[in-house]
Amino acid sequence: MKADGTIVARKLCKSFGSHQVLRGIDLTVAAGEISCIIGPSGSGKSTLLRCVNGLETVDRGVLRVNGEDFGYVEKDDAYHAVSPQRLAEQRSRVGMVFQQFNLFPNMTAESNVMSGPVLVKKVDRKVARERAQELLAQVGLAGCGHKYPAQLSGGQQQRVAIARALAMDPSIMLFDEPTSALDPELVGEVLAVMRDLAHHGMTMLLVTHEMAFARDVADEVLFMDEGVAVERGDAREVLANPREKRTQEFLERVL
Amino acid sequence: MQELQAEHKKRITPKRPRDYLCWAAAIAVVAALVYTTVTNENYGWPVVFSYFTTDAIIEGLLLTLVLTVVSMALGIVLGLLLAVMRMSHQAPISGLATLYITFFRGTPVLVQLIFWFNIAALYPNVSIGVPFTDISTPVDVNALMTPLTAAIVGLTLNEAAYMAEIIRGGFASVNRGQYEAADSLGMTGFTRLRHVIIPQTMPAIIPATGNQVIGMLKGTSLVSVLGVAELLNSAQSIYARTYQTIPLLIVASLWYLIMTLALSVPQSMIERRFSRSTRRPAAVATATKESLL
């Protein structure tokens, strides 16, 4: 099974009822590339991200993740939805980190990290536990494995969530405003973990309001407004010298 | 030096007249109650004690417990089925469940019990068989619907409607993000339900179910109208003979009280353990044994 860590979207469309959230979005993320989606709230950034691991279904357009059509197979007449098992398998190769962490409150930090490998991949529990401890150490939480999410700070919870996603050995990591729910003094520790991950060559697609992080770490920035990709290009270039008027206005407000 | 002394002075809130008045009023009420229960011979305390552990009463007590356990267990199973139907995305299925719940919660249990007891008037003969074959057995509904069967059927069907809503509420209390997190890890429906969702529904479902058990214990007294010899009916049978109505009602009441108090101890422990469960997740984990991980 090839999992080359690429994302390709062409003319992606998505509506909620009569409201068009995505209006023909194009997106390309190469293997090992870090891509940031920025834009005002309600612009469809999160929806686009959620489409990439099937939390939202796509109405129209092409979506290829890890080199294969995601959630659907292309046939002569139309795209046909794949079986739930096949979809789950595709999802397991795409890690997702949520704004609200979404750790399982009934499991310890370690069990959270083990949950994917043990319950989905049927990895031996002992092996999974060792791997979970490695990953918790990697995100700076060695020795916190026995704690429940409620006993951890927001920043710690989000780092556990990152470790949980990494435990599935994904080829792509998606981050949906990973620091937006955090107290300002806790943002840094989560960004540090993400920066570390970026340096290790993980393909990353993230929705963020952290412009400094985008400038330092991202290869490419996509500015979205009202479901349209307004401007796309080299991260430092777009953030420093935006060409489009809407991008300029947005950056003036947030910087 | 004056100021330093002031710093060391204790702060006192003086008792006001109303504080004493409340105590006086409460003591007066209790004293009056004690006085009347002791001096009024119509209470018949000697009779109460002589019948308290008589065979008929103990047998009635056991039947009350059996009715509670059986109706509750069946009610939970049927309630779970109804809750699943109610949450179905298939409109006809959830509609059926809604209809059931509305009907059984909207009519009195007493009426339902009498209705089931007399169901033979509506369907005198039912035949149970395998569809499209000749295999079938005629059933005489009148013979089948004994008072005990009617009691269990009536209590179970009514309880199921309430349990369905409790279970549905438990599922509704789980954040949508939990489903998404499980999905994003590639979990399929059953794994997600078994390891992520169900454990999180328990803090809402278990305490409410405990309340239902206590309610059911007292509710079983209604089946006395069908002539099922449970606790109340046993007491009634005795006072129909001896005309010692009040003492025997006291016997029944004391037993109900003992049983509900006995149940309320574990119930309040459960409630304390599950209160604000999101802040005390260890309780959720231990209650569900967190078996696999």
Side-chain angles (χ1 to χ4, degrees), chain A residues 108-126:
Chain A
T108 61
E110 189 177 87
S111 297
N112 263 281
V113 180
M114 288 165 65
S115 63
V118 172
L119 298 174
V120 177
K121 286 186 169 174
K122 311 294 176 201
V123 171
D124 178 69
R125 204 159 309 156
K126 197 158 154 274

Side-chain angles (χ1 to χ4, degrees), chain A residues 50 53 55 88 91-92 94 96 98 102-108 111 115 118-120 125 148 150 164 168, chain B residues 176-178 180-188 191 195-196 199-200 278-279 281-282 284-285 290 292-293:
Chain A
R50 289 161 60 84
N53 80 340
L55 290 177
R91 278 171 162 165
S92 70
V94 181
M96 176 89 177
F98 300 88
N102 293 346
L103 289 180
F104 305 133
N106 53 319
M107 302 180 192
T108 61
S111 297
S115 63
V118 172
L119 298 174
V120 177
R125 204 159 309 156
Y148 284 90
R164 179 177 68 178
M168 292 299 284
Chain B
R176 202 169 64 102
Q178 293 291 314
E180 294 188 345
D183 284 344
S184 76
L185 290 170
M187 289 186 197
T188 46
T191 309
H195 295 280
V196 176
Q200 295 186 56
T278 44
R279 259 169 270 165
V284 190
E290 212 202 331
L292 241 116
L293 290 172

Side-chain angles (χ1 to χ4, degrees), chain A residues 38 211 238-239 242 247-255:
Chain A
I38 60 170
M211 295 304 155
V238 172
L239 292 171
T247 319
Q248 289 164 11
E249 285 168 0
F250 173 75
L251 288 174
E252 265 167 39
R253 267 181 284 130
V254 298
L255 287 177

Side-chain angles (χ1 to χ4, degrees), chain B residues 50-83:
Chain B
S50 67
Y51 278 108
F52 197 63
T53 51
T54 197
D55 285 352
I57 291 292
I58 296 299
E59 277 162 26
L61 181 68
L62 290 177
L63 189 54
T64 288
L65 288 172
V66 168
L67 276 172
T68 306
V69 171
V70 171
S71 306
M72 204 61 217
L74 293 175
I76 289 171
V77 173
L78 187 57
L80 182 63
L81 179 70
L82 283 166

Side-chain angles (χ1 to χ4, degrees), chain B residues 97-115:
Chain B
T98 307
L99 196 70
Y100 180 100
I101 291 164
T102 309
F103 183 80
F104 281 90
R105 292 208 309 174
T107 53
V109 200
L110 184 55
V111 177
Q112 289 173 29
L113 285 166
I114 299 169
F115 191 91

Side-chain angles (χ1 to χ4, degrees), chain B residues 48-266:
Chain B
V48 171
F49 292 121
S50 67
Y51 278 108
F52 197 63
T53 51
T54 197
D55 285 352
I57 291 292
I58 296 299
E59 277 162 26
L61 181 68
L62 290 177
L63 189 54
T64 288
L65 288 172
V66 168
L67 276 172
T68 306
V69 171
V70 171
S71 306
M72 204 61 217
L74 293 175
I76 289 171
V77 173
L78 187 57
L80 182 63
L81 179 70
L82 283 166
V84 171
M85 286 172 66
R86 178 99 200 248
M87 291 182 286
S88 165
H89 293 299
Q90 304 287 344
I93 300 294
S94 75
L96 273 180
T98 307
L99 196 70
Y100 180 100
I101 291 164
T102 309
F103 183 80
F104 281 90
R105 292 208 309 174
T107 53
V109 200
L110 184 55
V111 177
Q112 289 173 29
L113 285 166
I114 299 169
F115 191 91
W116 288 114
F117 187 50
N118 292 293
I119 193 72
L122 199 56
Y123 297 104
N125 290 296
V126 173
S127 77
I128 295 169
V130 184
F132 313 115
T133 65
D134 291 336
I135 309 163
S136 76
T137 320
V139 177
D140 180 0
V141 177
N142 207 8
L144 182 75
M145 219 23 108
T146 62
L148 189 64
T149 326
I152 290 172
V153 168
L155 291 173
T156 298
L157 295 186
N158 185 69
E159 187 58 34
Y162 285 91
M163 281 309 302
E165 286 298 272
I166 288 171
I167 293 168
R168 190 175 71 103
F171 278 86
S173 72
V174 180
N175 192 304
R176 202 169 64 102
Q178 293 291 314
Y179 291 86
E180 294 188 345
D183 284 344
S184 76
L185 290 170
M187 289 186 197
T188 46
F190 181 73
T191 309
R192 183 179 76 178
L193 200 64
R194 161 83 178 72
H195 295 280
V196 176
I197 306 303
I198 288 178
Q200 295 186 56
T201 63
M202 289 299 138
I205 292 176
I206 290 177
T209 307
N211 276 330
Q212 290 299 111
V213 173
I214 292 173
M216 174 65 89
L217 182 78
K218 293 182 288 180
T220 53
S221 62
L222 289 170
V223 309
S224 61
V225 299
L226 306 183
V228 176
E230 44 68 68
L231 182 54
L232 178 60
N233 189 274
S234 305
Q236 286 173 323
S237 312
I238 297 171
Y239 72 63
R241 259 186 300 117
T242 65
Y243 298 105
Q244 288 157 322
T245 311
I246 295 295
L248 278 144
L249 287 178
I250 291 174
V251 168
S253 301
L254 284 176
W255 275 118
Y256 282 119
L257 198 60
I258 288 168
M259 289 189 292
T260 49
L261 284 176
L263 283 174
S264 69
V265 174

Side-chain angles (χ1 to χ4, degrees), chain B residues 1-19:
Chain B
M1 267 324 182
Q2 184 72 29
E3 279 175 48
L4 194 69
Q5 272 180 343
E7 284 171 20
H8 287 90
K9 280 179 185 163
K10 272 208 291 183
R11 295 196 175 250
I12 297 163
T13 309
K15 286 257 183 287
R16 287 167 298 179
R18 89 163 77 134
D19 297 328

